[in-house]
Amino acid sequence: MRTVKEPGAAHSGLSDWYWQRLSAVVLLLLLPLPFYLLTAVYSGNLDQQALLDIIDHIYSRVLHTLLILALIVHAYMGLKVILEDYVHRIFWRVPLIGAMLVIMTGFGVWWLALIWAWA
Amino acid sequence: MAEMIRLSVFRYDPEKGGEPHMQSFEVPLLNAGMKLLDALNYIKWELDGTLTYRRSCGEGICGSDGLNINGVNGLACITPIEGLKQPIHVRPLPSMHVIRDLVVDMDHFFDQYRQIQPWLQTITPVPEHERLQSPEDRARLDGSYECILCACCTTSCPSWWWNGDRFLGPAALLHANRWIIDSRDEATGDRLDQVEDAFRLYRCHQIMNCMEACPKELNPTAAIDHIKRKLLARKS
Ligand code: SF4
Ligand code: SF4
Ligand code: FES
């Protein structure tokens, strides 16, 4: 029989929910921009140099940074919920969520390094 | 000769052992407005007295005959035979432990109901007469107080199937909201604290199965949404 677990101890659901919505809004606003650039390139309105100029611009870098952060936060929250829903054994759940956090952080740092041209 | 209705009914008696199975029955159509519960009663009284199910009021009030009917949760007593595809598959509420045939163990469901403390909580002194409420404030309870705790919603919620040990499920949350919006209740803060963790409320992914399933046409999803907005408003 399923037992009733005590409430409370788990971390705040409100902040998770809040970050999920917030990052969704940022994605909604910013995600169309790279696609717009892509179509401009494919249609021949933008050559390589012009594209690089746009991406190099300080505003682009800031927006790009916001986009990548929102993307990672959103993906992390979403995948975490899926893992929590379907992986019930703590033995698997905690390391899986941890591994996901590490991989995503690594990916984010790498991407940010590219944007800000440390690499 | 009366028109016959074909049913396929879930049978399982753990005490006797054996596998759960579906058993076919044929029942005469007794009258035009015949409900599924009438057919189950006919089986029990005329064909096979061992068929076990819960029912009491026969009017959609007590909430005891929640069943899975052709794959959809509903109350047998208010589900018309007419319009149901035959053979009518009658099963116990999904994801529940079967005690016998169509009777399931409701303990956990009611434990979760108890967890939201479904009674008026106040700190101000008890007035000489009753605690008054304006007609407008009373009207805000419409759509909540009608719930008969039949569990049709909660047992149709995938989130509750996966995480029913921690997620309260739509019925309990509908009631949580009923007390949160009650103008006479003075424990709103505590009630919100109770559901702010990651599982009890926020496991609802707005799949809306609950709303589809409710035989009283209530909307637990909206209630859950209201609690979320209350929590957000409290933070900001
Ligand atoms: S809306 Fe929420 S509570 Fe209702 S069925 Fe979906 S997940 Fe469950
Ligand atoms: S909300 Fe509807 S389906 Fe859910 S327990 Fe109440 S009456 Fe039954
Ligand atoms: S018998 Fe009471 S609700 Fe169906």
Side-chain angles (χ1 to χ4, degrees), chain B:
Chain B
M1 171 127 180
E3 191 187 326
M4 298 302 272
I5 309 156
R6 285 173 300 125
L7 296 106
S8 170
V9 183
F10 180 93
R11 302 299 307 265
Y12 180 48
D13 185 350
E15 279 168 20
K16 284 226 187 80
E19 293 290 307
H21 61 279
M22 301 299 285
Q23 186 177 351
S24 299
F25 292 100
E26 289 209 358
V27 168
L29 185 69
L30 300 172
N31 53 55
M34 187 173 167
K35 304 289 191 284
L36 178 61
L37 182 61
D38 300 326
L40 293 178
N41 287 339
Y42 187 92
I43 297 175
K44 186 165 182 73
W45 296 336
E46 309 289 340
L47 304 176
D48 182 348
T50 64
L51 179 69
T52 310
Y53 52 96
R54 287 195 183 105
R55 83 281 188 213
S56 177
C57 67
E59 307 271 348
I61 297 299
C62 70
S64 60
D65 62 346
L67 294 170
N68 187 270
I69 306 156
N70 280 349
V72 183
N73 288 356
L75 298 172
C77 60
I78 56 172
T79 302
I81 296 282
E82 206 187 350
L84 287 177
K85 195 167 159 276
Q86 293 190 23
I88 305 168
H89 291 272
V90 185
R91 293 186 173 87
L93 289 174
S95 85
M96 303 292 269
H97 282 274
V98 173
I99 295 174
R100 184 165 158 179
D101 295 343
L102 301 173
V103 174
V104 296
D105 184 347
M106 299 283 281
D107 281 358
H108 178 62
F109 176 79
F110 284 114
D111 270 338
Q112 290 190 309
Y113 177 54
R114 245 170 257 129
Q115 280 184 55
I116 64 108
Q117 310 194 331
W119 54 83
L120 188 73
Q121 295 181 44
T122 55
I123 36 172
T124 51
V126 183
E128 197 176 333
H129 299 292
E130 69 271 45
R131 290 183 188 270
L132 294 174
Q133 189 170 42
S134 71
E136 295 76 40
D137 284 337
R138 163 60 191 79
R140 301 185 66 210
L141 305 182
D142 288 348
S144 300
Y145 79 88
E146 299 94 326
C147 171
I148 55 173
L149 291 166
C150 65
C152 286
C153 56
T154 295
T155 58
S156 72
C157 168
S159 271
W160 197 75
W161 297 343
W162 312 150
N163 285 295
D165 52 350
R166 297 210 259 181
F167 174 51
L168 288 177
L173 289 168
L174 181 90
H175 283 272
N177 187 54
R178 181 244 174 277
W179 293 104
I180 286 169
I181 56 180
D182 193 319
S183 61
R184 299 162 301 175
D185 191 83
E186 292 162 359
T188 313
D190 293 342
R191 295 185 186 282
L192 291 176
D193 287 349
Q194 278 278 310
V195 294
E196 200 177 359
D197 74 306
F199 279 89
R200 311 189 92 213
L201 166 73
Y202 283 101
R203 266 315 106 163
C204 167
H205 302 317
Q206 257 127 346
I207 307 162
M208 303 244 248
N209 275 14
C210 50
M211 200 183 104
E212 298 277 323
C214 179
K216 306 295 277 187
E217 295 181 8
L218 307 178
N219 186 348
T221 316
I224 290 169
D225 215 49
H226 180 260
I227 304 179
K228 286 180 180 168
R229 270 185 282 132
K230 266 288 219 216
L231 279 162
L232 188 63
R234 185 167 78 149
K235 265 287 186 303
S236 43

Side-chain angles (χ1 to χ4, degrees), chain A residues 2-116:
Chain A
R2 281 190 287 200
T3 50
V4 184
K5 286 192 187 158
E6 278 304 311
H11 57 106
S12 161
L14 174 63
S15 64
D16 278 17
W17 181 85
Y18 183 76
W19 281 105
Q20 182 81 333
R21 305 290 131 140
L22 189 71
S23 57
V25 173
V26 176
L27 285 178
L28 202 67
L29 292 175
L30 294 185
L31 209 51
L33 295 180
F35 285 101
Y36 173 74
L37 283 184
L38 266 184
T39 40
V41 170
Y42 279 124
S43 66
N45 293 332
L46 213 58
D47 63 17
Q48 193 183 10
Q49 195 52 51
L51 181 67
L52 280 178
D53 284 346
I54 292 176
I55 289 179
D56 254 357
H57 195 281
I58 181 74
Y59 288 153
S60 310
R61 290 191 194 197
V62 171
L63 289 180
H64 201 158
T65 304
L66 280 177
L67 175 66
I68 229 47
L69 290 179
L71 195 67
I72 288 174
V73 167
H74 198 77
Y76 173 69
M77 293 296 182
L79 290 172
K80 185 167 74 118
V81 165
I82 293 175
L83 285 179
E84 284 171 347
D85 274 355
Y86 295 104
V87 184
H88 281 227
R89 296 192 46 196
I90 301 293
F91 177 82
W92 286 109
R93 186 197 279 182
V94 174
L96 274 175
I97 293 181
M100 192 175 72
L101 187 61
V102 170
I103 292 171
M104 286 188 161
T105 315
F107 173 76
V109 169
W110 171 70
W111 197 296
L112 288 178
L114 286 182
I115 300 175
W116 296 96

